Amino acid sequence: CPTQDDAEGALGTMQLEIGVLRTGSDKCVESLALLAGPVAAGHDVEFHCEDGEKIGCSRLLLSHASPYYKALFSKGTVESVSGIVKPDKDFSSAAHLALLGQLHALGNAPLPAELDGRLELLCLAVKVRAPSGGADDTAARVLERCDRAVRKSLFADNCLAVLLRLK
């Protein structure tokens, strides 16, 4: 049987791992972000995108990171029973993959390198964040990071294009 010391040691290790994840250090973040991707045996939910792309994910990680997905996977919903999600067709599979990777990594994964990718991720994060945008809503955190990155990328020659894109 495990002792009290064993339990306390395990709890300390878990808290350390969560602390590492929340601060975005270590390769842990990248590993978690990469869990969202081509459908594999470890995935318990699939996103079937409009362009035919299928993205596999962890229902547990998505539900933990986002009240939106927690509600989507709640008991009795079509998605909770089938394990298949038809994501918003107004967004590319690349944007969905970027958001799902962010949610798997609690918002600490690298943002898309290109401005267009950041803009699309920003718009998708707006749609799936909780109205209150509380501390437990990773999509709100991703939205804030994208917003800061987009603002840093605004220049006189691209400002109008960015505004039109966000319209």
Side-chain angles (χ1 to χ4, degrees), residues 117-131:
R118 289 177 180 171
L119 286 171
E120 191 173 18
L121 178 56
L122 183 143
C123 292
L124 182 55
V126 166
K127 283 196 152 190
V128 302
R129 72 181 161 109

Side-chain angles (χ1 to χ4, degrees), residues 81-114:
V81 174
S82 70
I84 295 174
V85 176
K86 297 277 189 182
D88 192 326
K89 62 184 176 183
D90 292 337
F91 296 93
S92 69
S93 57
H96 287 291
L97 179 59
L99 179 64
L100 295 168
Q102 288 290 338
L103 295 176
H104 274 83
L106 297 178
N108 293 314
L111 294 173
E114 301 296 321

Side-chain angles (χ1 to χ4, degrees), residues 53-113:
E53 187 80 23
K54 292 182 180 178
I55 304 168
C57 293
S58 164
R59 184 184 316 224
L60 176 68
L61 289 174
L62 295 178
S63 296
H64 175 74
S66 168
Y68 174 85
Y69 286 109
K70 185 175 186 174
L72 187 70
F73 298 131
S74 64
K75 191 173 185 177
T77 64
V78 172
E79 294 82 3
S80 71
V81 174
S82 70
I84 295 174
V85 176
K86 297 277 189 182
D88 192 326
K89 62 184 176 183
D90 292 337
F91 296 93
S92 69
S93 57
H96 287 291
L97 179 59
L99 179 64
L100 295 168
Q102 288 290 338
L103 295 176
H104 274 83
L106 297 178
N108 293 314
L111 294 173

